[in-house]
Amino acid sequence: MKRRSGIKIMGRLIGLVRPLIHIMAAAILLGVIGYLCAIFLTILAGGVLIHGISAAGTAAVSESIFLKTSVTVLLAVMVTAAIARGILHYGEQACNHFIAFKLLALIRHKVFKVLRTLAPAKLEGRDKGNLIAILTSDIELLEVFYAHTISPIAIAVLTCTVMVVFIGQFHLLAGILAAAAYITVGAVIPLINGKRGGSEGMAFRNAFGDMNSFVLDALRGLDETIQYGCGEKQNETMREKSEELGKIQKQLNCMERRQRSATNLCIWAFSFAMLFMMSGLYAGGYVSFDGMLISVIAMMGSFGPTAALSGLSNNLNQTLASGERVLSLLDEKPQVEDITGKAPAVFTEAQAKHVSFAYDDEQILDDVSLQMPHGKIIGIHGRSGSGKSTLLKLLMRFWNTDRGEICISGRNIQEINTSDLRDMESYVTQETYLFHDSIAGNIAVGRPGASEEEIIEAAKKASLHDFVMSLPDGYHTPVGELGSTLSGGERQRIGIARAFLHDAPFLLLDEPTSNLDALNEGIILKSLMEAKKDQTVILVSHRKSTMNIADIVYTMADGRSS
C-alpha cells in the first residue's frame, strides 16, 4: 500500500484535536508568552548592559527605552519574567499533556472499535505481535506528536513573527535576516531530515512489531522449544532480529547527530551574520549602538522555539511512522460489514442453498445445500479439510458466501441484523480461548451478567461442575494465561458451558468432544439431546460415534455435502 506523506499524516492526526481546540489554543498562548519571557530576559539584560556602557561613556548610546527605565525596574522585570516563564511553561505542558492523553485514549477506543469490525475475517492469521505494537508502543509514540509537536509548531511561528517584527524595527535587513534564520532552523532542516529519515522510521516500527511477534510466539511455544532442542535456533533468530533493529536505530541516531550539528552550525552562522551585518550598519551610521547590541542579543536568544522544532525531527520520523501504522489500521475496511436497521428476526430453522466459498483461490465449498429444521440435531461428518468448519463460519456470517445463500427463518442471512444473529446463535470452536480470569468469569463470557446459579447449571450440562468443585477455590479458580493450568478437555468443556449459558436457539458445535473421554462425551451428548427440544443443533465431528445422536447426518467430501 502506498505510504501517505508526512504532511497528510500530520493533517489527519491534527484533525483529531478539534474537540479540544480550546485547550490547544490555551497551550499555544501560554507557550508564546513563556518563550517571549525567556527571550526578553536576555534583551533586558542587554538593557542593563546599555546602562553600564552609558555610565562608563565607552560608546555613544542613544536615548532609548532602556535608558529611560531605571536599572532597578529592569532587574525587577527580569525577575518577574523568569518566574512567569516557569509558570507559563508548566501551564503549556499541562495543557499539551492533557490533550495528548485524552486523544490517546480516544485513538485506542477507535482502534479497538475497528478491530471489532475487522474480526474475524480480516484478523484471522494476522500478525498479533504487530497488532500489539500498534495498540501499545505506536499509539504511545503519538504522545510525542500531540504533547510536543502541534503546539510547538504554532508557538514557533507566532514567537518568530513577533521577533522578526521586533528585530526588524532596528533595520529592515535585520528583520529579513532573522526571518531567514528562523525558517532555515525551524523548517528547512527538519523537512530535509524528515524526508531522509522517513523510510528508516517506518522500517524501525515494522522491525519492532516483528520483534514483538517473534517474542510472543517464542513464549507461547516455550515448551516445544525445550522439548525439541530448538533453543539455540531461537536464540540465533533473536540475535538476528535484535541486530537488525539495532542497525536501523544506529542509522536513526546517526541522522539525529547530523541534524543536531547542522542546527547548531546554522544558529551560530546566522548569529555571527547578524553581528557582522549590524556592526557594519552601525559603522555606516544606519543604526544606533543600542540598536545594534539589542538586535544581536535578541537574535542569539530567540532560537529556542525554532531549535525545539528542529529537535522534533529526531523523533518525528518514528512518530509519523507510528501514525501511518495507526491510521492504516483505522482506515482498513472490514471484509464483512455489520448489518443494522433490518426487521427483528426470530429463529425457526436454517438452510444452506447451493453455497460455494473459497479462501482466495482455494475452493473450500462447492454447491453445498443443507436443511436444518428446528428441534433437530444435524450431524456434519467428513475428513479434515472438507469444509465443515468453514460452513459453520458462514452460518455465523464471519464471511459472506461467494455464491448461493444462507437463510435463517426463511430470510437471507445478509438481511438479518448482526446483533440478532449473534443473539440467536451459539458457536463452539475447535480451540477454546480462555481469558486470564476465573473459571466462572470465563464461562460468563457466554452471557455477561449471568448469575452464579446459571453459570453452575451451564457447567453441569458441560460435565464440568464436578471437576470445578474439586478445585480449592471452585469457580473462583484462575485459569492462568491462555488457560495454561487446564487440560485441553477442561478448556473445551468451558467453551461448551459458555454455549449452554448463552442458550441460543441455534447451537453450532465444531468438534465439541474431540478432547474428551467417553464418559464426559456421553454426559455432554445427553445434554444436547435434552436441549434439542428448544434448539437446532449443528454437530460437526469426525467421530462416527458422535453422529449416533444426530437426527440428520450430512457427509462432507471435497467441499460437497451428501
Side-chain angles (χ1 to χ4, degrees):
M1 184 177 66
K2 186 178 179 180
R3 280 197 61 198
R4 299 173 177 86
S5 67
I7 299 298
K8 287 184 178 179
I9 295 171
M10 292 176 67
R12 283 284 303 278
L13 294 176
I14 290 172
L16 297 174
V17 182
R18 286 174 189 155
L20 302 171
I21 192 67
H22 57 292
I23 300 176
M24 179 63 72
I28 293 170
L29 179 62
L30 293 172
V32 170
I33 298 174
Y35 266 116
L36 290 176
C37 285
I39 293 168
F40 275 87
L41 271 174
T42 58
I43 294 174
L44 291 169
V48 174
L49 181 61
I50 289 172
H51 269 276
I53 293 172
S54 176
T58 55
V61 180
S62 62
E63 188 72 16
S64 67
I65 189 172
F66 296 107
L67 288 179
K68 294 177 181 178
T69 307
S70 68
V71 173
T72 302
V73 172
L74 289 176
L75 291 174
V77 174
M78 288 175 65
V79 171
T80 303
I83 295 172
R85 167 58 176 161
I87 296 172
L88 292 167
H89 183 67
Y90 175 84
E92 175 208 343
Q93 291 299 306
C95 291
N96 282 333
H97 283 87
F98 176 83
I99 292 169
F101 295 129
K102 278 283 187 182
L103 289 176
L104 294 192
L106 174 65
I107 292 170
R108 285 195 177 95
H109 176 75
K110 287 178 176 289
V111 168
F112 277 113
K113 184 178 180 180
V114 167
L115 289 176
R116 286 195 295 271
T117 63
L118 294 178
K122 276 288 189 76
L123 296 186
E124 191 164 293
R126 191 77 169 259
D127 189 342
K128 300 300 187 295
N130 251 307
L131 286 176
I132 292 173
I134 291 173
L135 287 166
T136 53
S137 59
D138 282 333
I139 291 179
E140 195 64 33
L141 259 179
L142 295 183
E143 185 267 341
V144 175
F145 179 77
Y146 287 115
H148 307 289
T149 303
I150 301 178
S151 66
I153 291 175
I155 289 168
V157 171
L158 293 174
T159 304
C160 290
T161 301
V162 172
M163 293 311 299
V164 166
V165 173
F166 177 79
I167 295 173
Q169 70 176 326
F170 297 105
H171 197 280
L172 178 62
L173 290 178
I176 293 173
L177 181 61
Y182 297 146
I183 291 171
T184 301
V185 174
V188 175
I189 293 177
L191 287 174
I192 293 174
N193 190 60
K195 187 174 181 180
R196 288 177 177 174
S199 58
E200 282 81 2
M202 179 60 79
F204 183 85
R205 298 315 307 167
N206 288 334
F208 185 79
D210 290 339
M211 173 71 84
N212 272 8
S213 296
F214 176 78
V215 172
L216 185 64
D217 198 39
L219 288 174
R220 287 178 173 175
L222 198 57
D223 291 345
E224 286 74 11
T225 299
I226 295 172
Q227 178 182 352
Y228 296 109
C230 299
E232 188 56 40
K233 182 180 178 182
Q234 293 286 71
N235 284 338
E236 181 61 31
T237 304
M238 175 68 83
R239 279 194 294 270
E240 290 175 358
K241 290 185 176 295
S242 297
E243 288 172 2
E244 179 188 358
L245 202 60
K247 184 178 179 181
I248 301 173
Q249 182 67 67
K250 186 177 180 180
Q251 292 173 346
L252 289 171
N253 291 340
C254 183
M255 293 180 63
E256 179 180 343
R257 289 193 298 271
R258 289 199 299 265
Q259 179 270 335
R260 189 180 294 118
S261 299
T263 298
N264 291 334
L265 179 63
C266 284
I267 288 174
W268 282 109
F270 278 109
S271 296
F272 280 111
M274 178 66 77
L275 175 62
F276 292 141
M277 185 184 74
M278 294 304 290
S279 297
L281 291 173
Y282 170 66
Y286 295 103
V287 296
S288 63
F289 177 80
D290 52 330
M292 176 196 71
L293 181 64
I294 294 300
S295 59
V296 172
I297 290 174
M299 177 75 164
M300 290 183 172
S302 61
F303 278 105
T306 51
L309 285 190
S310 188
L312 284 175
S313 64
N314 301 331
N315 294 318
L316 197 57
N317 290 326
Q318 287 194 52
T319 302
L320 292 181
S322 295
E324 167 74 0
R325 283 156 57 88
V326 171
L327 292 174
S328 294
L329 182 60
L330 290 176
D331 290 343
E332 195 164 345
K333 299 299 181 184
Q335 193 166 330
V336 178
E337 297 277 1
D338 281 356
I339 295 173
T340 58
K342 303 295 183 180
V346 178
F347 182 84
T348 55
E349 48 85 29
Q351 290 176 297
K353 299 179 179 180
H354 306 289
V355 170
S356 296
F357 179 79
Y359 294 112
D360 296 325
D361 296 328
E362 184 183 1
Q363 191 71 36
I364 304 299
L365 298 175
D366 183 20
D367 196 29
V368 172
S369 296
L370 285 81
Q371 295 290 330
M372 293 159 271
H374 178 69
K376 301 291 183 181
I377 296 178
I378 293 90
I380 301 179
H381 182 262
R383 62 175 178 80
S384 178
S386 59
K388 304 186 300 297
S389 298
T390 298
L391 180 61
L392 296 190
K393 292 175 182 178
L394 293 176
L395 288 167
M396 289 290 295
R397 199 172 167 269
F398 288 169
W399 282 273
N400 288 321
T401 61
D402 294 336
R403 292 188 302 276
E405 60 179 357
I406 303 287
C407 294
I408 291 180
S409 304
R411 290 169 57 181
N412 190 306
I413 201 172
Q414 297 188 36
E415 296 297 320
I416 296 176
N417 295 324
T418 301
S419 58
D420 292 341
L421 190 65
R422 297 291 175 261
D423 288 339
M424 68 174 67
E425 293 182 333
S426 293
Y427 180 36
V428 179
T429 61
Q430 293 184 29
E431 295 293 332
T432 300
Y433 184 89
L434 298 186
F435 297 93
H436 194 39
D437 198 352
S438 65
I439 291 176
N442 270 282
I443 295 174
V445 169
R447 197 203 310 164
S451 66
E452 185 174 351
E453 291 75 16
E454 290 171 327
I455 292 172
I456 292 173
E457 182 60 30
K460 288 179 178 178
K461 291 180 179 179
S463 188
L464 185 66
H465 179 70
D466 291 341
F467 160 72
V468 174
M469 295 310 295
S470 69
L471 300 173
D473 295 324
Y475 283 89
H476 300 290
T477 303
V479 301
E481 187 177 11
L482 300 177
S484 58
T485 61
L486 303 177
S487 69
E490 290 156 359
R491 290 196 295 270
Q492 194 168 37
R493 279 181 280 166
I494 288 178
I496 297 170
R498 285 174 180 167
F500 281 128
L501 182 63
H502 189 56
D503 197 27
F506 195 23
L507 183 57
L508 311 177
L509 305 172
D510 193 357
E511 300 284 1
T513 61
S514 58
N515 292 322
L516 303 183
D517 55 45
L519 177 61
N520 285 313
E521 180 186 31
I523 295 173
I524 291 172
L525 294 180
K526 181 183 177 184
S527 297
L528 292 177
M529 288 290 292
E530 294 172 353
K532 78 172 186 176
K533 301 171 187 175
D534 304 309
Q535 294 176 309
T536 297
V537 181
I538 306 296
L539 181 58
V540 168
S541 179
H542 65 278
R543 292 183 181 178
K544 290 186 177 181
S545 59
T546 306
M547 294 292 102
N548 290 334
I549 68 164
D551 300 302
I552 304 170
V553 177
Y554 292 97
T555 300
M556 301 290 292
D558 298 324
R560 295 177 178 274
S561 61
S562 60

